[in-house]
Amino acid sequence: MENLISNIKEVKVHGRTSDNRAPLTLFWTASGFECNVSGSQLWVEVEVNYTNFEPWFSYTINGDWIGRQMLTKGRYWICLFRGMNPEKIKNVHFYKDVQPLGGEENSWIQIHSLRYDGVFFQVEDKPLKIEFIGDSITSGEGLFGARQEEDWIPMFFSALRDYSYLTAKKLNADYRVFSQSGWGLYNSWDNNPNAAIPKYYKEICGFMTGKEAIALGAQEQNDFLAWQPDVIVVNLGTNDMCSFEQPEWKNPQTGETHKMHKNADGTYCKEDVALFEKAVVDFLCLLRECNPKAKIIWCFGMLSLDFQMPIVNGISNYQDIKNDQNVFYLQLPETNDNNVGSRQHPGPICHAQAADVLSAFISSHLN
Amino acid sequence: MENLISNIKEVKVHGRTSDNRAPLTLFWTASGFECNVSGSQLWVEVEVNYTNFEPWFSYTINGDWIGRQMLTKGRYWICLFRGMNPEKIKNVHFYKDVQPLGGEENSWIQIHSLRYDGVFFQVEDKPLKIEFIGDSITSGEGLFGARQEEDWIPMFFSALRDYSYLTAKKLNADYRVFSQSGWGLYNSWDNNPNAAIPKYYKEICGFMTGKEAIALGAQEQNDFLAWQPDVIVVNLGTNDMCSFEQPEWKNPQTGETHKMHKNADGTYCKEDVALFEKAVVDFLCLLRECNPKAKIIWCFGMLSLDFQMPIVNGISNYQDIKNDQNVFYLQLPETNDNNVGSRQHPGPICHAQAADVLSAFISSHLN
Amino acid sequence: MENLISNIKEVKVHGRTSDNRAPLTLFWTASGFECNVSGSQLWVEVEVNYTNFEPWFSYTINGDWIGRQMLTKGRYWICLFRGMNPEKIKNVHFYKDVQPLGGEENSWIQIHSLRYDGVFFQVEDKPLKIEFIGDSITSGEGLFGARQEEDWIPMFFSALRDYSYLTAKKLNADYRVFSQSGWGLYNSWDNNPNAAIPKYYKEICGFMTGKEAIALGAQEQNDFLAWQPDVIVVNLGTNDMCSFEQPEWKNPQTGETHKMHKNADGTYCKEDVALFEKAVVDFLCLLRECNPKAKIIWCFGMLSLDFQMPIVNGISNYQDIKNDQNVFYLQLPETNDNNVGSRQHPGPICHAQAADVLSAFISSHLN
Amino acid sequence: MENLISNIKEVKVHGRTSDNRAPLTLFWTASGFECNVSGSQLWVEVEVNYTNFEPWFSYTINGDWIGRQMLTKGRYWICLFRGMNPEKIKNVHFYKDVQPLGGEENSWIQIHSLRYDGVFFQVEDKPLKIEFIGDSITSGEGLFGARQEEDWIPMFFSALRDYSYLTAKKLNADYRVFSQSGWGLYNSWDNNPNAAIPKYYKEICGFMTGKEAIALGAQEQNDFLAWQPDVIVVNLGTNDMCSFEQPEWKNPQTGETHKMHKNADGTYCKEDVALFEKAVVDFLCLLRECNPKAKIIWCFGMLSLDFQMPIVNGISNYQDIKNDQNVFYLQLPETNDNNVGSRQHPGPICHAQAADVLSAFISSHLN
């Protein structure tokens, strides 16, 4: 039997997207759908769109990782399982395995229909909701591929080896990821002030600016009331740190330039650091406005702690202003020779270590 | 550019198969092809045949696991990578991720052509060659899937989480796998005396008896001279052990029956054990005949050591007869609550532990 | 308050010794006493005797290792604890931390009295009893000391880092150790046929032949009925293996010589191996005679598996003769660069690995 | 041969103490002496003084932990080794295994003489020097003893299982420890403002105020020039955190009281936190004054991160004032059910985890 996903109400959607289910559009890493279904087989009809970068997907059955493959362009059917005991209900979770590719105008996976011979059952919400906000680390860059790999391609990103997935699994949480490789809190690794996560936090996927993306709802306001996280994990600052070492960024349209500076003695320029610290305060205010009750944990350190003090200063300033006791600072384990992945990024071991630290911290602060 | 794989001499073939490369037929788990290739992309044209059980494949790039997916019936192209640095040479290894399915008459993957934009380079042989001979354990059954899974389907088999892959990787070895789930040394788990590995050891894939399989060379003699292992790992006996607990097997054609018996007091019947012990001697003679110089390591214990003494008795008898100093006995770590996989089989942790023990043993006996 | 240990009935004695408690004499490694006592302090009066080698002791409080020190010659008091909550009952266990030194005529620790300010309570027997029989490995040689140490002194032996202690702790078992460094099943590492464990198994500590030792009961028959193990672990064969590589041993009194031979081609001489195999059968018969219901597990491999087949042949022959289903063979993890201790012996990591394997095996065979 | 330690110039002294070597007085945990000596034996003559709490010592030979024992009152000889190869030079390191007991007026170990039959050789300084400053965590409280132990006695403290020892060993560093259980940066766990580490940092062991202690130099200024650390690890704040939960402290002499307060809503009182933050600044200034070139790493978190922000605020304020780039903040792993020791303190596993994190951080900041 084939049916449009929009007709199967028991299917649960994960990740920020519009209300449209005909088809369901997946932008973000770890976005996808989940279902409980009986029957011997399940197929999914995808439609895949991109300019240069094929997205990948992974899926789990009953919580265990089963497959991971590249999705080339087009509309076609994929078999998720066949030959299973038709009586038993299987939990199937389809994950987009790569972030939205900000440089592309039309990069997403769409889910049209399912083919099956069983019955769908409701997927209950997990008792905890977590939102992860970050950069390439949170996008799982470097979690696949040999250590020497240097190509920036979706193949080397992973949702399921990421600390976000692992943390949510340990805590039995539903989760969303809002992350862009290279982006920062105040500016990107190469000093682009537009590649700043806070500027897009209120939209579904606001930096997708193509006509088609807009038609699919990328620019719509995210419905925060519909999904309020209990915990927000912010893992930003690494690219801001890098930008002090990089040349200035020049806006190709306007010619305007921007750069974070170091002093002659190698220290960070105080005025620039102050801009960053203010951005911390502002982003915390924005997060609190959108998520009144969430515990907010700012994590840092997987790729060097060097820029730690501006983060904690920003958090401290925010706490002084708002007297908000629900904002925390947590260091995560640093990448080293034993836990590094590809592209000089934290590898699977480092992400597993981070998930241990983070999930323990969250547990102890939820009691 | 597209080219028949038979035209690309630099491609290296792994696993027992015929000399035919137009197309290349893959029967065994961990069989496949390997290439060193420059260029930005690589596609493979497969043709997939089966009755009930879709095979899966996995592949590595530069030694790191990249993807794993089901192969549905038909002839089609699959993209292995795209968008990589065209200058660099990538090592790509395509693995059949499931054993030949003995119950099927036409179960294999064929490789017709490759599409690429670079140049192929020779793949050197590794300094060590290992052949693994076994049952479901060596076929990687239970290495994917949640613990509760009970379906016997290729999805839950894995070549790359298996101790054979892990051992070969640790030792920098080329390797082949010759294994069938449920089969034994003398008879299968359910007392079928035809499902005995030694009966088919000399052919390429002798129990594939369909017309088409025969045309593809399954029944041909294996060319032992062309690939002589330095080490043979035999991991058999587990299903023979089980058969003592099972009802007799009845040949549906002839009505003949067969069964390994237990005595009234629960001990193994001596006459039946003697048959098994003789089968150990005979198989060791056969292995030595086909592989005059290989070190032969008989491994046992991943699913209980209970049937250990008949194995060591058989080895001892063989040593007495042949005065062969190159046959060894090694226990492998037992499956328990912490390392079990799906289908009550050893899981990824157990296989990793087994690879540690086995690779250390092999290393110390190669010096 | 001071009291003779012979007057304190609640004190439990561990290890083979005579019935005499005035004083209590400790011969074997891991022999000692255990008590449950309230009060703020506990002192023990020891008397220490030896020719060249100071014994050591270790002790635990409530199961946790507290101290370890050399015992120089003489009779004196040692404080085991002071300043503890007087209300609480502490479990205190005093362990001789070294084997009986076969080369000495008067080597033991005696316990005369205890000084205390609380009350003694009964120590319950643990639900399982294990006897460990072995050589230097079971005596814990090499478990203290830097890797480069080569001195054969008690300082480098340990009862509490040994696999015997660790196994008993995991299984909640009382245990005894019967072991001598350098000794074998049939002869010692240097071909001395008198340094064979089975020759002394029936006496309390039969190779202690000094006059004083005899007066203390060393030559008395061990009272097997008084302490019947549920499990016997035999870890012998390693020194027998070594003896094939060593020159002949010459009896200094009689001039008689003895040696295990290798053939010209480097293989073990069959006649000599047959003597060893017969010794396996004989020792198993002796163990069974003294311990009718014990499960007997012959362990091997911590210092090379090379001599494995004679052991399993011996076990197999014994099983054929006696039809005894309660004798088992188990490999233990081999010493390597990562787990070696001092004196080229297995170190703490190797013993911990051995205890994992052995305790899992015992558990699964007790159910 | 016996000789006063003051006559053996090759002996190296560890830890803060006076220049007097006749005898050498040991106050601090991990203080002691180290020597390189040939010969077959080494004995040490100690004199031990205390009111209620027997100190313990541990020692290593060639870097490996050998013994650990209680030292009861009096002057006597202890054998450190006997029977070793007289030709070889052994490195022997004697460690006081417990902190100076602030409540006692006469608590120390003195080393008078050594007895030996070999020759002493110079002990080279290690290429790195670290000073650890802290509370019970740095004093190794809870590193011995079963989990249920609650007695506050030296038996349950350890220098050699502490993260300070483990960190120094990993980094091949000489080190000193300056720590007091229960003490804080600004006040103790029970609000005593005199039990503040900075108040005594400039003296050898300034809170030892007994007449005899003063005669032994406890109140003398520490000679900072003589031993300048490359790295200072401060692990303070945990007891300050606790003091907010405790009743006020009352000076028994003057009747004055002191307390850190919480607000009615459970938050920390700002004025009191400000006092603590100022104490952070002041202590960093003092450390910098005494140790102009040291990297200073403030560590926190082994027993909850709850009081983290006042620490980082203090560090930040200090950096603003002094523009000092050599002060860092590092979180250490938190105690949990799997790594806890006795007395609800971090256990050996937690300290080992802390040493991993800290030594990696130090390494990466020394390059």
Side-chain angles (χ1 to χ4, degrees), chain B residues 116-135:
Chain B
Y116 52 97
D117 58 2
V119 175
F120 285 90
F121 299 86
Q122 199 65 33
V123 177
E124 297 301 326
D125 283 351
K126 301 237 166 75
L128 186 68
K129 289 190 185 68
I130 312 179
E131 183 178 48
F132 294 88
I133 302 169
D135 48 34

Side-chain angles (χ1 to χ4, degrees), chain A residues 43 50-54 56 59 61-70 72 79-85 88 90 143-153 155-156 161, chain B residues 43 50-54 56 59 61-70 72 79-85 88 90 143-153 155-156 161:
Chain A
W43 301 64
Y50 56 86
T51 308
N52 288 312
F53 295 108
E54 295 86 356
W56 286 60
Y59 68 109
I61 296 184
N62 294 328
D64 198 77
W65 195 345
I66 296 297
R68 163 178 151 89
Q69 67 185 81
M70 187 193 288
T72 49
C79 181
L80 297 181
F81 67 81
R82 211 176 70 85
M84 295 188 78
N85 181 335
K88 291 207 185 152
K90 297 94 187 161
L143 281 168
F144 270 88
R147 191 173 292 199
Q148 74 262 35
E149 304 294 358
E150 293 179 1
D151 296 308
W152 193 85
I153 50 177
M155 189 160 79
F156 298 140
R161 286 182 173 175
Chain B
W43 300 64
Y50 56 87
T51 309
N52 288 311
F53 295 109
E54 296 84 355
W56 285 61
Y59 69 109
I61 297 184
N62 294 328
D64 199 76
W65 195 345
I66 294 298
R68 162 178 153 88
Q69 66 185 79
M70 187 193 288
T72 49
C79 182
L80 297 181
F81 68 80
R82 212 178 69 85
M84 295 189 78
N85 182 336
K88 292 207 184 150
K90 297 94 188 161
L143 282 167
F144 270 87
R147 190 172 294 198
Q148 74 262 35
E149 303 295 358
E150 293 179 0
D151 296 308
W152 193 84
I153 50 176
M155 188 159 81
F156 298 141
R161 287 182 173 175

Side-chain angles (χ1 to χ4, degrees), chain B residues 84-97:
Chain B
M84 295 189 78
N85 182 336
E87 306 303 320
K88 292 207 184 150
I89 300 170
K90 297 94 188 161
N91 177 275
V92 181
H93 195 142
F94 178 108
Y95 292 84
K96 186 161 185 284
D97 220 7

Side-chain angles (χ1 to χ4, degrees), chain D residues 22-67:
Chain D
L24 163 64
T25 304
L26 305 178
F27 295 108
W28 294 95
T29 198
S31 67
F33 70 91
E34 182 183 1
C35 60
N36 289 330
V37 62
S38 64
S40 73
Q41 57 186 294
L42 181 69
W43 301 63
V44 57
E45 188 192 19
V46 299
E47 183 172 1
V48 184
N49 233 325
Y50 55 87
T51 308
N52 289 311
F53 295 108
E54 295 85 355
W56 286 60
F57 86 101
S58 279
Y59 68 110
T60 61
I61 296 183
N62 294 328
D64 198 76
W65 196 346
I66 295 297

Side-chain angles (χ1 to χ4, degrees), chain A residues 182-201:
Chain A
W183 287 39
L185 176 72
Y186 184 66
N187 52 227
S188 69
W189 72 280
D190 58 353
N191 283 299
N192 179 348
N194 301 317
I197 289 287
K199 296 201 170 163
Y200 300 94
Y201 182 70

Side-chain angles (χ1 to χ4, degrees), chain D residues 77-113:
Chain D
W77 286 93
I78 295 169
C79 182
L80 298 180
F81 67 81
R82 213 177 69 85
M84 295 188 77
N85 181 335
E87 306 302 319
K88 292 207 184 151
I89 300 170
K90 297 93 187 161
N91 178 274
V92 180
H93 195 142
F94 179 107
Y95 292 83
K96 187 162 185 281
D97 220 6
V98 67
Q99 64 171 31
L101 290 150
E104 309 227 309
E105 292 220 330
N106 56 343
S107 166
W108 47 75
I109 302 172
Q110 290 179 317
I111 309 296
H112 285 281
S113 302

